[in-house]
Amino acid sequence: MAFWWPLIVIALAYAIGRFLLMLIPFTVPSIDVDASDVTEGNQTQENSFIYIPPRGRTQQSDKKVQCYEPATMKYLGFFPALSSSEVHDRVEQARKAQKIWAKSSFKQRRQFLRILLKYIIEHQELICEAAALVKGWRLLDSFAILIRVSSRDTGKTMVDASLGEIMTTCEKITWLLSEGEKWLKPEYRSSGRAMFFKKSRVEFYPLGVIGAIVSWNYPFHNIFNPMLAAVFSGNSIVIKVSENASWSGLFYFRIIQAALAAVGAPENLVDIITGFAETGEALVSSVDKIIFVGSPGVGKMIMSKASDTLIPVTLELGGKDPFIVCEDVDVSHVAQIAVRAVLQSSGQNCAGAERFYVHRDIYSSFVSEVAKIIKSVSAGPPFAGRYDMGAICLQEHSDKLQNFVNDALNKGAEIVARGSFGHLGEGAVDQFFPPTVLVNVNHTMKLMQEETFGPIMPLMKFSTDEEAVKLANDSKYGLGCAVFSGSQRRAREIASQIHCGVAAVNDFASNYMCQSLPFGGVKDSGFGRFAGVEGLRACCLVKSVVEDRWWPYIKTTIPKPIQYPVGENGFEFQQSLVEALYGLNIWDRLQALINVLKILSEKNSGSSKGRKD
């Protein structure tokens, strides 16, 4: 026991020292970001124009990306649609910056993250106050602008913007600050039996320029998520934002630029570009890795284009996530989670719940509970009143959602509850869709097979756990799942059988708040992972390194029997060596070792005498 006391004291001293270091405040400089053109009250006459698009027609030109508020259809402005040559130029500038940044220290990279984090959370209390002032809005701080920009560009509510954009980003920054360096340092591995006299490790180097093509549903997080991993691992990154949410990218880009400048990072390390298909294709063809968040159809085109240059690809292509409710749950508790799972960001959530399977013993009570909640939900413009749900971002998407509902109704489904609308401005009626609960659904209906990406809750009965698993796996998608049971073991067992990349047991989407975990799916939901250790290292060139240990007189030599010209007993030697190293029986291994030594000791073991040429 006396032997262990010094070790215990040392361990306690180390732990106390680490804790005290955490109490020392870091000096984190503040940054100023110009937000004058994104605040309400600074709109020009042009920006106050109400845009009413002809139904079924796109209003995007080849030269400009036009931007509008989905909730009001107010015109926000336009950005250039970059040509292929312009994209290649921007990537080359990023490549030059990356060569400098690759030599940066983790200390400098962590400071960059702290500056961003400080900017985001500096005035949270004021945000809570500002969120209540939905009329006569005054932007009191940068955090309020941050959320408000996302809400204006996507039509989501302030609560949805904070949950899906701010919290997840802050969690990612915090995880990188805590663990990022550890997972990018060389990792030592076993050298095995044959190379026992060697030391082996894996080293991680930046790939170069990362390209990201991101979706519109979470414009802040979808920019920051790949950017943080790329920059922290020593890369530069060029991000093409969606043509449906380009306006907010301008402001987010300024935040990133200001934070990079504050730590002395090279210009052009991070770039944000706007445009359409030509812009995206040019990005794919000029970077060292591409990350894409979007639809399976576009993902396949990107993968095909990436094959021209054989760059690695990470695809996150949405999902059709099942939400399974067993009969032994607290119905009212799970019902609230279920409604949040389907209505978060108006259902425009790649990891949103889109298929609900409820045990027949509680089916009626669960339907009644969610219907009561849904009926209390009102949808409307995020800054025109206190609404629970915002707008549908994409023009004409409400028509697609209604088609899903009509198809289900025609095949026997029934609507049991719908939410209500608030006051909708001229031209914005088509940008809203009421939260809807349907029963008597089945897998012949489109809304149970295709990604709906909207606030529709279809409910099906199941009788056994095996049936629930079979229904859940009956999909071309495989991103995530949520399983609820009064027995955590039972819920875990069901979740383990569902073919997907992300599983939440007795919760919904909690995985994404655990940024140490990888995120991604299988089947039509894509492949590759971002977030977590896997996502961070996916931004790296992974290099295996083997070298001699510092053991005197021990180094790699070619045994005489297999030196050129190979001896006549060369194969006998090699055969015995394999068995000596890997034989399953200790006595056979010893016998083989004796034979190896015997061959090595033979005078003519390296002779090629008797060989036929």
Side-chain angles (χ1 to χ4, degrees), residues 128-160:
C128 295
E129 296 172 7
L133 302 175
V134 293
K135 290 190 177 182
W137 193 272
R138 292 181 62 198
L139 294 177
L140 301 178
D141 54 77
S142 55
F143 186 85
I145 295 171
L146 202 64
I147 293 188
R148 190 170 184 281
V149 169
S150 177
S151 295
R152 286 188 68 187
D153 210 18
T154 62
K156 67 180 65 174
T157 66
M158 294 282 283
V159 170
D160 284 352

Coordinates of all heavy atoms in Angstrom, one line a residue, residues 128-160:
C128 N -32.7 37.3 -24.4 CA -33.9 36.9 -23.9 C -34.9 38.0 -23.8 O -36.1 37.9 -24.0 CB -33.7 36.2 -22.5 SG -32.8 34.7 -22.5
E129 N -34.4 39.2 -23.4 CA -35.2 40.4 -23.4 C -35.6 40.8 -24.8 O -36.8 41.1 -25.0 CB -34.4 41.6 -22.7 CG -34.1 41.3 -21.3 CD -33.2 42.4 -20.7 OE1 -32.9 43.4 -21.4 OE2 -32.7 42.2 -19.6
A130 N -34.7 40.8 -25.7 CA -35.0 41.2 -27.0 C -36.0 40.3 -27.7 O -36.8 40.7 -28.5 CB -33.7 41.2 -27.9
A131 N -36.0 39.0 -27.4 CA -36.9 38.0 -28.0 C -38.3 38.3 -27.7 O -39.2 38.0 -28.4 CB -36.6 36.6 -27.5
A132 N -38.6 39.0 -26.6 CA -39.9 39.3 -26.2 C -40.4 40.6 -26.9 O -41.6 40.8 -27.0 CB -40.0 39.6 -24.7
L133 N -39.5 41.4 -27.4 CA -39.9 42.6 -28.1 C -40.0 42.4 -29.6 O -39.2 42.9 -30.4 CB -38.8 43.7 -27.9 CG -38.5 44.0 -26.4 CD1 -37.4 45.0 -26.3 CD2 -39.8 44.6 -25.7
V134 N -41.0 41.6 -30.0 CA -41.2 41.2 -31.3 C -41.7 42.3 -32.2 O -41.6 42.3 -33.4 CB -42.1 40.0 -31.5 CG1 -41.5 38.8 -30.8 CG2 -43.5 40.3 -30.8
K135 N -42.2 43.4 -31.6 CA -42.6 44.5 -32.4 C -41.8 45.7 -32.0 O -41.4 45.8 -30.8 CB -44.1 44.8 -32.2 CG -45.0 43.8 -32.9 CD -46.5 44.2 -32.9 CE -47.3 43.2 -33.6 NZ -48.7 43.6 -33.7
G136 N -41.5 46.6 -32.9 CA -40.6 47.7 -32.6 C -39.3 47.2 -32.2 O -38.6 47.7 -31.2
W137 N -38.8 46.2 -32.9 CA -37.6 45.4 -32.6 C -36.4 46.3 -32.5 O -36.1 47.1 -33.4 CB -37.4 44.3 -33.6 CG -36.3 43.4 -33.2 CD1 -35.0 43.4 -33.4 CD2 -36.6 42.2 -32.5 NE1 -34.4 42.3 -32.9 CE2 -35.3 41.6 -32.3 CE3 -37.7 41.5 -32.0 CZ2 -35.2 40.4 -31.6 CZ3 -37.6 40.4 -31.3 CH2 -36.3 39.8 -31.1
R138 N -35.6 46.2 -31.5 CA -34.3 46.9 -31.4 C -33.3 45.9 -31.1 O -33.3 45.1 -30.2 CB -34.3 47.9 -30.3 CG -35.2 49.1 -30.5 CD -35.1 50.1 -29.3 NE -33.8 50.6 -29.2 CZ -33.3 51.2 -28.1 NH1 -34.1 51.3 -27.1 NH2 -32.1 51.6 -28.1
L139 N -32.2 45.8 -32.0 CA -31.2 44.8 -31.8 C -30.2 45.4 -30.9 O -29.4 46.3 -31.2 CB -30.5 44.6 -33.2 CG -31.5 43.9 -34.2 CD1 -30.8 43.7 -35.5 CD2 -32.0 42.5 -33.6
L140 N -30.1 44.8 -29.7 CA -29.3 45.4 -28.6 C -27.9 44.8 -28.6 O -27.0 45.4 -28.0 CB -30.0 45.1 -27.3 CG -31.4 45.7 -27.2 CD1 -32.0 45.3 -25.8 CD2 -31.4 47.2 -27.3
D141 N -27.7 43.7 -29.3 CA -26.4 43.1 -29.2 C -26.1 42.1 -30.4 O -27.1 41.8 -31.1 CB -26.2 42.3 -27.9 CG -27.3 41.3 -27.7 OD1 -27.2 40.2 -28.3 OD2 -28.2 41.6 -26.9
S142 N -24.9 41.7 -30.5 CA -24.5 40.9 -31.6 C -25.2 39.5 -31.6 O -25.5 39.0 -32.7 CB -23.0 40.7 -31.7 OG -22.6 40.2 -30.4
F143 N -25.5 38.9 -30.5 CA -26.1 37.6 -30.4 C -27.5 37.7 -31.0 O -28.0 36.8 -31.7 CB -26.1 37.1 -29.0 CG -26.6 35.7 -28.8 CD1 -25.8 34.7 -28.9 CD2 -27.9 35.5 -28.5 CE1 -26.2 33.4 -28.8 CE2 -28.4 34.2 -28.3 CZ -27.5 33.2 -28.4
A144 N -28.2 38.8 -30.6 CA -29.6 39.0 -31.2 C -29.5 39.1 -32.7 O -30.4 38.5 -33.4 CB -30.2 40.3 -30.6
I145 N -28.6 39.8 -33.2 CA -28.4 39.9 -34.7 C -28.2 38.6 -35.3 O -28.8 38.2 -36.3 CB -27.3 40.9 -35.0 CG1 -27.5 42.3 -34.6 CG2 -27.0 40.9 -36.5 CD1 -26.3 43.2 -34.7
L146 N -27.4 37.8 -34.6 CA -27.0 36.5 -35.1 C -28.2 35.6 -35.3 O -28.5 35.0 -36.4 CB -26.1 35.8 -34.1 CG -25.2 34.7 -34.6 CD1 -24.2 35.2 -35.6 CD2 -24.4 34.1 -33.4
I147 N -29.1 35.5 -34.3 CA -30.3 34.7 -34.4 C -31.3 35.3 -35.3 O -31.9 34.6 -36.1 CB -30.9 34.5 -33.0 CG1 -30.0 33.7 -32.1 CG2 -32.3 33.8 -33.1 CD1 -30.6 33.2 -30.8
R148 N -31.4 36.6 -35.3 CA -32.4 37.3 -36.1 C -32.1 37.2 -37.6 O -33.0 37.0 -38.4 CB -32.5 38.8 -35.7 CG -33.6 39.5 -36.4 CD -33.8 40.9 -35.8 NE -35.0 41.4 -36.4 CZ -35.1 42.0 -37.6 NH1 -34.0 42.0 -38.4 NH2 -36.2 42.5 -38.1
V149 N -30.8 37.2 -37.9 CA -30.4 37.0 -39.3 C -30.8 35.6 -39.8 O -31.4 35.5 -40.9 CB -28.9 37.2 -39.5 CG1 -28.4 36.7 -40.8 CG2 -28.5 38.6 -39.3
S150 N -30.6 34.6 -39.0 CA -31.0 33.3 -39.3 C -32.5 33.2 -39.5 O -33.0 32.6 -40.4 CB -30.5 32.3 -38.3 OG -31.0 31.0 -38.6
S151 N -33.3 33.8 -38.5 CA -34.7 33.8 -38.6 C -35.2 34.5 -39.8 O -36.2 34.0 -40.5 CB -35.3 34.4 -37.3 OG -35.0 33.7 -36.2
R152 N -34.6 35.6 -40.2 CA -35.1 36.3 -41.4 C -34.8 35.5 -42.6 O -35.6 35.5 -43.6 CB -34.5 37.7 -41.4 CG -35.0 38.7 -40.4 CD -34.4 40.1 -40.7 NE -35.0 40.6 -41.9 CZ -34.5 41.8 -42.4 NH1 -33.6 42.5 -41.8 NH2 -35.0 42.2 -43.6
D153 N -33.7 34.9 -42.7 CA -33.3 34.2 -43.9 C -34.0 32.9 -44.1 O -34.1 32.4 -45.3 CB -31.8 34.0 -43.9 CG -31.2 34.0 -45.3 OD1 -31.8 34.6 -46.3 OD2 -30.0 33.6 -45.5
T154 N -34.5 32.3 -43.1 CA -35.1 31.0 -43.2 C -36.6 31.0 -42.8 O -37.3 30.0 -43.0 CB -34.4 29.9 -42.3 OG1 -34.5 30.3 -40.9 CG2 -32.9 29.8 -42.7
G155 N -37.0 32.0 -42.1 CA -38.4 32.1 -41.7 C -38.6 31.3 -40.4 O -39.8 31.2 -39.9
K156 N -37.6 30.8 -39.7 CA -37.8 30.0 -38.5 C -38.0 31.0 -37.3 O -37.6 32.2 -37.3 CB -36.7 29.1 -38.2 CG -35.3 29.7 -37.9 CD -34.2 28.7 -37.7 CE -33.9 27.9 -38.9 NZ -32.8 27.0 -38.7
T157 N -38.5 30.5 -36.2 CA -38.7 31.3 -35.0 C -37.4 31.5 -34.3 O -36.4 30.8 -34.5 CB -39.7 30.6 -34.0 OG1 -39.1 29.4 -33.6 CG2 -41.0 30.3 -34.7
M158 N -37.3 32.4 -33.3 CA -36.1 32.7 -32.6 C -35.7 31.5 -31.7 O -34.5 31.2 -31.6 CB -36.3 33.9 -31.7 CG -36.5 35.2 -32.5 SD -35.0 35.9 -33.1 CE -34.3 36.6 -31.6
V159 N -36.7 30.8 -31.2 CA -36.4 29.6 -30.4 C -35.8 28.5 -31.2 O -34.8 27.9 -30.8 CB -37.7 29.1 -29.7 CG1 -37.4 27.7 -29.0 CG2 -38.2 30.1 -28.6
D160 N -36.4 28.3 -32.4 CA -35.8 27.3 -33.3 C -34.4 27.6 -33.7 O -33.5 26.8 -33.9 CB -36.7 27.1 -34.5 CG -38.0 26.3 -34.2 OD1 -38.1 25.8 -33.1 OD2 -38.8 26.2 -35.1

